[in-house]
Amino acid sequence: MDIAMMARAALHVLPRQVSPIRKYSDRERMNGLYADLTCSWCDLIEVSGGEDDAVYNAYAEVLLGFFMIANEKKTTYKLLVSSDELENMKVKWKSSSFNAVCLIMQQQLLKSHFEHSVDAFVHAWHIVLKFGLTDLGLDEERIEASYDRMLKGTE
């Protein structure tokens, strides 16, 4: 999975607006990006275990959310992982509770936003990668293909 290429492609995507913005500011833009990622994460959890295409599409939306935040914060380099690291994630234990994974990732995401913690953001990113590759058993090539299709639909 070419994470660097996927992150670069996210530079040209406008975020969906989860709730109306009354007054635009950089802080409000970041709030919107986090709200969008939160909604995408909930969508993924909701469809997990369902139809393959829906899961891949929802996972691609989550990845896009991470890339958009990282691009905005200029921390995309922190999301880069090697193919060996991705392979190691695939052989980790499967989570016993999707609910727990959902809550832990959300907790890390909120910590990264409200406490301005890059480490928490990276931890949330690793949770999402492991969830997709191990718990959901998603294929890297299909993830990239879904991501590319999604981006073509936003042009």
Side-chain angles (χ1 to χ4, degrees):
M1 192 161 51
D2 189 348
I3 292 173
M5 179 276 306
M6 294 167 78
R8 272 191 308 278
L11 285 168
H12 308 289
V13 177
L14 294 173
R16 77 175 162 178
Q17 193 171 341
V18 175
S19 60
I21 297 175
R22 294 192 176 156
K23 184 178 179 187
Y24 182 82
S25 67
D26 291 340
R27 180 74 178 154
E28 189 59 24
R29 176 173 167 71
M30 192 58 69
N31 288 343
L33 291 173
Y34 272 90
D36 179 36
L37 177 53
T38 298
C39 290
S40 296
W41 176 246
C42 291
D43 291 344
L44 173 62
I45 296 299
E46 186 175 22
V47 299
S48 61
E51 182 185 324
D52 261 9
D53 285 342
V55 174
Y56 277 97
N57 293 339
Y59 193 76
E61 290 281 348
V62 170
L63 297 183
L64 177 62
F66 270 94
F67 295 141
M68 291 177 81
I69 291 169
N71 286 338
E72 188 74 19
K73 290 182 162 196
K74 313 266 188 281
T75 57
T76 307
Y77 68 97
K78 295 276 193 174
L79 301 185
L80 302 178
V81 292
S82 69
S83 55
D84 288 342
E85 289 172 305
L86 288 174
E87 287 302 316
N88 287 338
M89 284 184 190
K90 291 178 188 176
V91 296
K92 286 189 173 193
W93 72 98
K94 286 192 175 203
S95 302
S96 59
S97 169
F98 282 9
N99 291 321
V101 172
C102 177
L103 294 170
I104 292 167
M105 197 294 285
Q106 192 62 37
Q107 183 264 343
Q108 290 298 302
L109 195 61
L110 292 173
K111 182 177 181 178
S112 82
H113 181 55
F114 290 112
E115 296 178 20
H116 308 286
S117 171
V118 174
D119 289 339
F121 187 71
V122 172
H123 188 213
W125 171 245
H126 288 159
I127 290 168
V128 166
L129 289 176
K130 187 225 176 243
F131 183 70
L133 297 173
T134 304
D135 297 327
L136 297 178
L138 301 180
D139 176 72
E140 289 180 54
E141 288 180 18
R142 284 192 66 191
I143 292 169
E144 261 192 83
S146 293
Y147 187 83
D148 290 343
R149 259 192 323 280
M150 176 194 58
L151 289 184
K152 286 183 174 118
T154 63
E155 295 174 347

